[in-house]
Amino acid sequence: MPTRPSAPAGGSFTHRDWQETVVAGAADGPRLARVVVTNAYTGRITADNTRCLYSLSYAADGTGSFSGFERCEGGVDGHHGTFVLRAWGTFDAGGTVHCSFEVLPGSATGGLVGLRGTGGFSAAPGAAAVPYAFEPSYEEAAAAG
């Protein structure tokens, strides 16, 4: 589908809450976990209280991978509504996270209908604010309507 281009940019986000529950395995070894996270975004994405649900898989050496979804209520470039990010990535034994994300097609509402886009971030443990990159675009039919 044709899209209208948008300039790449980003901003930062902060973790407001992180609730992790081990669902299989030992807390100090290989395991599966579920995490519920609340974030606050500034910059290209503005959202005060996102809600995230992630599944994590830890290896014996502390490395691992994750995937999940984040619902954002707020705005992108001054347009307001809601949308869902699908996220996936890895983390190393030291806790550094590398994440990619994309807007889940069809998830945007309000002034964000037709929103698409991709982005990502890398975060060191304990970072107060995490910089992210995000390149949004809009489906032409939705943008024209």
Side-chain angles (χ1 to χ4, degrees):
M1 236 179 209
T3 59
R4 68 179 183 213
S6 186
S12 65
F13 69 91
T14 57
H15 295 295
R16 292 204 168 156
D17 192 33
W18 178 282
Q19 298 295 321
E20 184 169 338
T21 304
V22 174
V23 295
D28 61 350
R31 65 191 177 279
L32 297 178
R34 181 187 66 155
V35 179
V36 177
V37 180
T38 302
N39 291 321
Y41 282 81
T42 60
R44 175 153 260 180
I45 298 171
T46 55
D48 287 335
N49 269 325
T50 70
R51 294 296 290 174
C52 317
L53 180 60
Y54 296 117
S55 296
L56 285 74
S57 175
Y58 290 88
D61 64 0
T63 63
S65 61
F66 65 91
S67 64
F69 297 93
E70 181 171 15
R71 183 180 184 274
C72 302
E73 182 174 349
V76 174
D77 294 337
H79 300 279
H80 300 282
T82 64
F83 61 97
V84 174
L85 295 174
R86 176 176 24 212
W88 63 95
T90 61
F91 50 92
D92 64 29
T96 298
V97 174
H98 302 284
C99 178
S100 297
F101 59 81
E102 67 181 354
V103 176
L104 188 65
S107 69
T109 67
L112 297 173
V113 169
L115 176 67
R116 302 293 298 252
T118 60
F121 63 87
S122 291
V130 177
Y132 69 88
F134 180 56
E135 293 188 48
S137 62
Y138 294 85
E139 295 175 0
E140 277 300 321

